[in-house]
Amino acid sequence: MESPIYYSRTEFIETDTGNKVSRRATIAGPQNIILGGKTIISSGAIIRGDLRRSGPGHAVVISLGRYCLIGEACVLRPPYKTYRGAFNYYPMKIGDHVHIGAGSVVEAATIGNCVEIGKNCVIGKFTIIKDCAKVVDNTVVPPNTVIPAMSLFAGSPGHFVEDLPESTQEIVEAETKEYYGRFQAVDKER
């Protein structure tokens, strides 16, 4: 096992379900965001739960599953479109064991389980990323793209590169759980 990643207990808020949210992250509209548990939201991350459709039945805008890792300075923003002259935001659903690298901007509709998104990626509006997919660093995925399960995407614009191994799900689950276990609070800066 790799060495622990220490963080100052005063910099993060830990919830009853084990979520660890940096006080330096911007969580706009927290009543519209669901965190599944054991999720880490890093410093500088911005999650826009305040951008939502009006009216009944449209409360939850962004939901994240368990063991999600949201990197530093990431932006999660629900996808939007104008329909019949009305500007509407749509929900964003993120599965379990999803790692989004630092500096990425995500406007996907759905991200499946065991998905890795690299650093400095742009995931366009209404993109659907299926289970066990990987988007490498600096990839720009155009809006409305569907990334198949078990596939590796790269480039600008993002395109299919290769199939991932059958063991991808087990590898990603182990990596996210191990990272969460290494992410430990200390009372003072080390």
Side-chain angles (χ1 to χ4, degrees), residues 64-66 68 93-99 110-116 129-134 149-150 168-169 172-173:
L64 288 94
R66 296 173 50 76
C68 289
K93 183 173 187 334
I94 298 174
D96 298 336
H97 303 284
V98 173
H99 185 178
T110 307
I111 298 175
N113 298 318
C114 301
V115 170
E116 293 180 279
I129 303 177
K130 303 282 190 168
D131 293 348
C132 303
K134 182 172 184 174
M150 308 295 289
T168 298
Q169 179 176 344
V172 174
E173 283 181 10

Side-chain angles (χ1 to χ4, degrees), residues 82-136:
T82 304
Y83 180 70
R84 293 187 179 167
F87 190 79
N88 280 315
Y89 286 98
Y90 294 82
M92 175 190 289
K93 183 173 187 334
I94 298 174
D96 298 336
H97 303 284
V98 173
H99 185 178
I100 301 174
S104 289
V105 177
V106 178
E107 292 185 272
T110 307
I111 298 175
N113 298 318
C114 301
V115 170
E116 293 180 279
I117 297 172
K119 295 177 178 152
N120 303 313
C121 291
V122 175
I123 309 298
K125 292 186 299 203
F126 295 104
T127 294
I128 295 172
I129 303 177
K130 303 282 190 168
D131 293 348
C132 303
K134 182 172 184 174
V135 178
V136 301

Side-chain angles (χ1 to χ4, degrees), residues 121-177:
C121 291
V122 175
I123 309 298
K125 292 186 299 203
F126 295 104
T127 294
I128 295 172
I129 303 177
K130 303 282 190 168
D131 293 348
C132 303
K134 182 172 184 174
V135 178
V136 301
D137 293 355
N138 305 310
T139 298
V140 177
V141 177
N144 304 305
T145 300
V146 176
I147 297 180
M150 308 295 289
S151 63
L152 178 74
F153 261 57
S156 178
H159 59 277
F160 175 81
V161 176
E162 64 184 9
D163 288 318
L164 294 170
E166 291 293 320
S167 58
T168 298
Q169 179 176 344
E170 292 80 19
I171 291 168
V172 174
E173 283 181 10
E175 285 174 351
T176 55
K177 286 180 177 177

Side-chain angles (χ1 to χ4, degrees), residues 15-72:
T15 68
D16 294 343
T17 54
N19 297 308
K20 297 176 182 182
V21 181
S22 171
R23 292 181 190 277
R24 295 189 188 127
T26 301
I27 311 295
Q31 69 278 11
N32 301 319
I33 299 169
I34 293 176
L35 301 178
K38 296 191 161 101
T39 285
I40 299 170
I41 299 175
S42 302
S43 174
I46 299 170
I47 301 181
R48 297 296 305 269
D50 59 330
L51 305 175
R52 65 188 194 96
R53 292 165 74 175
S54 55
H58 300 297
V60 174
V61 175
I62 299 176
S63 70
L64 288 94
R66 296 173 50 76
Y67 291 102
C68 289
L69 310 171
I70 308 303
E72 291 188 7

